[in-house]
Amino acid sequence: QVQLQESGPGLVKPSETLSLTCAVSGYSISSGYYWGWIRQPPGKGLEWIGSIYHSGSTYYNPSLKSRVTISVDTSKNQFSLKLSSVTAADTAVYYCARVAAAGTYYFDYWGQGTLVTVSS
Amino acid sequence: QSVLTQPPSVSAAPGQKVTISCSGSSSNIGNNYVSWYQQLPGTAPKLLIYDNNKRPSGIPDRFSGSKSGTSATLGITGLQTGDEADYYCGTWDSSLSAGGIFGGGTKLTVL
């Protein structure tokens, strides 16, 4: 069974960089699929952040592209998110997910999510 | 404001049927597969439907999906109180601002 687990600081100061890691178990990242990040501000809907292939190929949300970096570490079977220059608007639950993207696009396995609050 | 438009809320009685619509454009729904997600309160979203109308293993056939042109629909029959949740549609947008997109979500209330 594929499992994903997010980890990282739950509190980040404004203007600093948010860093999260998603550990994958039950499936090797190198075997295929894209791997993505999605966020959900409190009481609001889902927002796609971006996704990465094990080769390092990435797609980012155009509205966040200037601040987002997604990377992959196949040796640790995990991938990471960095979001720079954060503001209160970046406060959200951040989810990592496996992405089926071969002629389609959907998220079939999700992590439980981690709340990141941006506040001084 | 989401690229994909969903009604904010729908409601129906237990045992009844409900449909949730998702409206987009030729750059997204019109030329790409649609997926649907169920988010129960306080939990992560769960894949319900992919490739317009396919159900992952373990999803009951009470849940169905369809697509026509630039719109998609999620249908739920035999409503149960446990179906009360937020439902999101999603797809890929192939425009200049390419990327994954979601609808704004629909809150289902089982009366």
Side-chain angles (χ1 to χ4, degrees):
Chain A
Q1 178 76 342
V2 181
Q3 294 184 312
L4 298 94
Q5 178 67 58
E6 306 89 349
S7 62
L11 180 64
V12 180
K13 290 182 169 55
S15 80
E16 296 190 345
T17 296
L18 177 161
S19 296
L20 296 174
T21 296
C22 181
V24 180
S25 59
Y27 189 87
S28 171
I29 283 181
S30 299
S31 295
Y33 286 90
Y34 272 77
W35 303 87
W37 290 95
I38 303 100
R39 70 180 182 179
Q40 185 172 35
K44 297 187 178 181
L46 303 172
E47 180 181 31
W48 177 75
I49 298 172
S51 54
I52 189 167
Y53 197 59
H54 64 78
S55 63
S57 173
T58 54
Y59 290 92
Y60 295 138
N61 186 323
S63 69
L64 300 171
K65 188 173 183 177
S66 63
R67 299 193 292 130
V68 172
T69 301
I70 298 176
S71 58
V72 64
D73 186 338
T74 55
S75 67
K76 295 182 178 179
N77 214 40
Q78 64 186 34
F79 60 106
S80 300
L81 168 70
K82 290 188 185 300
L83 181 65
S84 64
S85 305
V86 297
T87 69
D90 295 309
T91 293
V93 174
Y94 285 75
Y95 297 101
C96 60
R98 191 176 80 167
V99 188
T104 183
Y105 200 83
Y106 59 88
F107 307 91
D108 59 355
Y109 290 94
W110 295 66
Q112 65 183 25
T114 186
L115 174 62
V116 178
T117 302
V118 178
S119 175
S120 55
Chain B
Q1 189 169 353
S2 302
V3 177
L4 303 179
T5 301
Q6 297 181 235
S9 63
V10 296
S11 61
Q16 296 301 303
K17 174 182 178 178
V18 71
T19 60
I20 297 173
S21 61
C22 176
S23 178
S25 68
S26 58
S27 67
N28 43 68
I29 292 179
N31 283 285
N32 293 292
Y33 288 111
V34 177
S35 54
W36 290 91
Y37 306 87
Q38 176 193 60
Q39 187 175 33
L40 296 170
T43 69
K46 173 184 177 182
L47 179 66
L48 277 183
I49 298 288
Y50 67 97
D51 290 358
N52 302 334
N53 55 18
K54 298 177 182 175
R55 284 177 286 105
S57 174
I59 300 300
D61 58 7
R62 299 189 300 108
F63 295 91
S64 64
S66 64
K67 187 183 100 168
S68 179
T70 59
S71 294
T73 302
L74 173 69
I76 310 173
T77 60
L79 276 172
Q80 302 172 1
T81 55
D83 295 332
E84 275 209 354
D86 293 322
Y87 292 84
Y88 294 90
C89 58
T91 188
W92 182 262
D93 192 293
S94 307
S95 68
L96 289 177
S97 301
I101 54 174
F102 293 100
T106 299
K107 170 65 177 177
L108 169 62
T109 300
V110 181
L111 302 169

